Amino acid sequence: MGDYNNAIEIKGITKHFDGFTLDNVSFEVAKGSIMGYIGQNGAGKTTTIRSLLNIIPIDNGEIRLLGLDHIKDEAEIKQRMAVVFDELPFHDIFTANDMAKIFEGLYGQWNNSIYKEYLDRFQLPIHKKIGQFSKGMQMKLQIACALSHNAELLIMDEPTTGLDPVVRDEILHIFMEYLETEERSILMSSHITSDLEKIADCVTYIDRGKILISGYKDEILEKHGVIKCSKEELKTIDPKDIVSARINEFGAEAMVYDKEAMNYKYNGLLIDSTSLEEIMLYYVNKEKKEWS
């Protein structure tokens, strides 16, 4: 286990595609924590993850994983980390047993007995072809493979998409167990904010290739709030104090950056607590300022 403070450090990574730019993205994932990487489909989550894995070359910026350079030390990093993709990257004709043989050859720390424990726990058949697995079973197989070689860093792209709530809950529980060893860290992208609300220590929001907000989940939830008021009252609020405002026929709801300060400043107005999903909505509409 290496000597480093941040499992992931991303500084100013930029990648231009035709019609999309990953624009000066920076954030870090502290060792021993789980970072939720949130954004709508097409916001740039997968592009960021593929950049981390050096699947796509970045135009500029710097990426360090486990304290190492993501290009120069790629071989060492890949021994010490695991990846779970939204789509199954294994061939349909393989069985769970075949996967064990493949991974044993790939990873020095591969542990067959831990793998078998996960297969039992997930009730996955050993000799059935993966092509016949349901989406949930395929995701569980990927997770079983990812957690069976003592990886220090787990990077996951939408691991809970398309799974029913019971299975999602079970998988989130397993991620929490995995983190009980303090040397381990997780970056998990998702557009299902409720999953991240349950397990993430930190969250980073990305929208249209740009980072909108990044920090400790509890602090972000604590600071932000929503003022429910009339359209007239909304006019009395300084636009600098609000992320954006949602207007409807009955009145307005405005998200504020600093709930506590706003309680003093606008003490006649009631400020409600908020959720990650609401925060995402108001930030996505930040440039418009007012939306319905």
Side-chain angles (χ1 to χ4, degrees), residues 117-124 140 143-144 170-171 174:
E117 273 173 34
Y118 277 117
L119 293 184
D120 287 347
R121 184 166 175 181
F122 288 149
Q123 298 176 314
L124 294 175
K140 284 175 166 181
I143 290 164
E170 181 187 359
I171 284 172
I174 282 166

Side-chain angles (χ1 to χ4, degrees), residues 229-231 246-253:
C229 59
S230 68
K231 290 174 200 173
R246 184 193 232 165
I247 313 289
N248 58 43
E249 52 191 304
F250 307 110
E253 294 179 1

Side-chain angles (χ1 to χ4, degrees), residues 31-181:
K31 179 156 77 170
S33 74
I34 174 162
M35 166 72 80
Y37 196 32
I38 310 177
Q40 296 166 298
N41 292 332
K45 303 189 301 289
T46 300
T47 304
T48 308
I49 286 172
R50 291 194 167 151
S51 304
L52 291 178
L53 302 173
N54 202 22
I55 295 169
I56 51 176
I58 53 175
D59 297 336
N60 42 46
E62 191 192 337
I63 298 171
R64 294 186 79 74
L65 303 174
L66 307 172
L68 303 168
D69 183 285
H70 88 296
I71 297 172
K72 208 167 76 228
D73 304 311
E74 186 175 0
E76 185 189 337
I77 289 168
K78 289 199 168 159
Q79 279 294 317
R80 291 167 57 189
M81 68 178 283
V83 186
V84 174
F85 290 105
D86 169 24
E87 289 300 321
L88 189 73
F90 310 148
H91 206 292
D92 278 359
I93 58 165
F94 290 139
T95 64
N97 206 35
D98 295 330
M99 294 319 301
K101 291 180 187 135
I102 293 165
F103 278 103
E104 202 167 9
L106 285 176
Y107 292 107
Q109 293 216 41
W110 178 259
N111 186 321
N112 260 322
S113 61
I114 290 177
Y115 179 62
K116 290 283 189 327
E117 273 173 34
Y118 277 117
L119 293 184
D120 287 347
R121 184 166 175 181
F122 288 149
Q123 298 176 314
L124 294 175
I126 288 188
H127 299 295
K128 188 177 183 176
K129 287 189 174 140
I130 300 169
Q132 298 170 323
F133 281 21
S134 69
K135 168 96 182 175
M137 287 164 76
Q138 289 183 351
M139 191 49 85
K140 284 175 166 181
L141 179 65
Q142 272 204 80
I143 290 164
C145 292
L147 299 181
S148 296
H149 62 91
N150 195 27
E152 289 164 63
L153 173 61
L154 186 54
I155 294 183
M156 298 182 284
D157 195 15
E158 299 277 359
T160 55
T161 303
L163 304 181
D164 68 67
V166 177
V167 175
R168 284 204 342 245
D169 222 53
E170 181 187 359
I171 284 172
L172 294 177
H173 186 72
I174 282 166
F175 296 155
M176 295 300 285
E177 266 175 32
Y178 164 85
L179 275 184
E180 280 168 9
T181 307

Side-chain angles (χ1 to χ4, degrees), residues 143-251:
I143 290 164
C145 292
L147 299 181
S148 296
H149 62 91
N150 195 27
E152 289 164 63
L153 173 61
L154 186 54
I155 294 183
M156 298 182 284
D157 195 15
E158 299 277 359
T160 55
T161 303
L163 304 181
D164 68 67
V166 177
V167 175
R168 284 204 342 245
D169 222 53
E170 181 187 359
I171 284 172
L172 294 177
H173 186 72
I174 282 166
F175 296 155
M176 295 300 285
E177 266 175 32
Y178 164 85
L179 275 184
E180 280 168 9
T181 307
E182 280 167 23
E183 293 284 321
R184 293 171 171 175
S185 319
I186 294 178
L187 173 68
M188 173 175 161
S189 91
S190 185
H191 64 275
I192 306 173
T193 46
S194 58
D195 284 353
L196 296 173
E197 204 144 325
K198 280 180 195 158
I199 65 166
D201 301 302
C202 296
V203 290
T204 297
Y205 279 114
I206 186 167
D207 185 54
R208 287 167 288 199
K210 285 185 159 81
I211 300 291
L212 297 182
I213 184 171
S214 185
Y216 287 104
K217 177 192 72 185
D218 291 348
E219 279 178 19
I220 289 171
L221 285 169
E222 225 163 87
K223 273 193 100 65
H224 291 81
V226 176
I227 295 179
K228 294 189 168 109
C229 59
S230 68
K231 290 174 200 173
E232 289 309 306
E233 285 170 318
L234 181 63
K235 289 177 188 156
T236 67
I237 300 173
D238 185 340
K240 286 202 286 289
D241 292 334
I242 63 173
V243 180
S244 67
R246 184 193 232 165
I247 313 289
N248 58 43
E249 52 191 304
F250 307 110

Side-chain angles (χ1 to χ4, degrees), residues 2-9 29-33 66-67 185:
D3 187 25
Y4 54 89
N5 294 325
N6 290 321
I8 299 177
E9 280 178 15
V29 180
K31 179 156 77 170
S33 74
L66 307 172
S185 319

